[in-house]
Amino acid sequence: MATHEATVEGVGVGVGDDGPGHPVVLLRVREELVPIFVSADQAQSMQHALDGTPFERPLTHDLFVDMVAEFGAAIDRIRIDDLADGTFYAKVDTEQYGDEGRSEMVFDARPSDGIALALRVDCPIIVSDEVIDEAGRDPDELGFVDEEEARREHDIGEEGFDFGDDEDDPDFGDDDPF
């Protein structure tokens, strides 16, 4: 089974004919995008890792990474290796060094957990050809616009758009759940 290394293009909200929908993570692999729908919590965890912004308390993925390290192990890579009935399947490949040498362990995982872990430990995300063949989409088909390309096309600087002062807008108050 051939595999390819993927990069996380971003986390966002899928938009369909009915309007905005569920959170989605986009993997770029083999010149295609693989959209994987995730929960809001998973999306938030991934976005924190992408932004490099710590959460006030450790999230589950942060705790897991700390525990793995404390046990003398490391996460080597994440494999998204199966897709059945619309459900993606993943594996977390780890290694541990002890008195008896190196031992490898593989754990089943949801791809969203695997991706959130990979973003924290900077390990490869590997996707099988079979998964890409079934779920991969042309970026144009998804209406995906690369952020850098959009900035150049619309002459937007690094600061982005100025939406003004949002202090009086109740939708942008201090009670933001993220």
Side-chain angles (χ1 to χ4, degrees):
M1 165 173 39
T3 60
H4 305 272
E5 189 166 342
T7 58
V8 177
E9 281 296 312
V11 178
V13 177
V15 178
D17 294 336
D18 298 333
H22 297 285
V24 64
V25 60
L26 291 175
L27 300 179
R28 183 175 293 275
V29 59
R30 212 181 64 187
E31 302 300 322
E32 295 181 65
L33 292 176
V34 176
I36 301 176
F37 289 94
V38 298
S39 71
D41 289 343
Q42 298 286 352
Q44 178 185 22
S45 180
M46 287 181 220
Q47 194 61 56
H48 277 289
L50 284 168
D51 294 342
T53 56
F55 201 67
E56 57 210 40
R57 298 182 309 158
L59 296 173
T60 304
H61 300 107
D62 301 313
L63 172 64
F64 186 80
V65 167
D66 290 345
M67 289 175 66
V68 166
E70 191 64 31
F71 289 127
I75 299 171
D76 290 333
R77 69 180 181 168
I78 305 302
R79 290 182 286 137
I80 301 173
D81 57 1
D82 196 12
L83 176 59
D85 297 324
T87 301
F88 291 86
Y89 294 87
K91 305 257 186 319
V92 178
D93 293 334
T94 65
E95 63 183 4
Q96 182 179 31
Y97 289 91
D99 295 338
E100 298 175 18
R102 178 178 182 262
S103 62
E104 295 179 359
M105 294 164 278
V106 177
F107 299 93
D108 288 329
R110 296 181 300 182
S112 56
D113 287 322
I115 293 166
L117 291 171
L119 290 170
R120 283 166 169 74
V121 301
D122 195 28
C123 72
I125 300 169
I126 307 299
V127 184
S128 71
D129 269 336
E130 291 80 4
V131 169
I132 302 165
D133 290 345
E134 189 170 339
R137 302 289 182 262
D138 184 290
D140 292 335
E141 175 187 341
L142 293 177
F144 179 77
V145 178
D146 181 80
E147 184 177 344
E148 288 299 316
E149 181 180 318
R151 287 183 190 284
R152 284 191 304 275
E153 185 176 315
H154 298 287
D155 196 27
I156 301 168
E158 285 298 317
E159 67 281 350
F161 291 105
D162 179 12
F163 291 103
D165 185 5
D166 295 325
E167 284 182 18
D168 298 326
D169 188 339
D171 291 337
F172 292 93
D174 290 332
D175 55 344
D176 182 6
F178 298 106

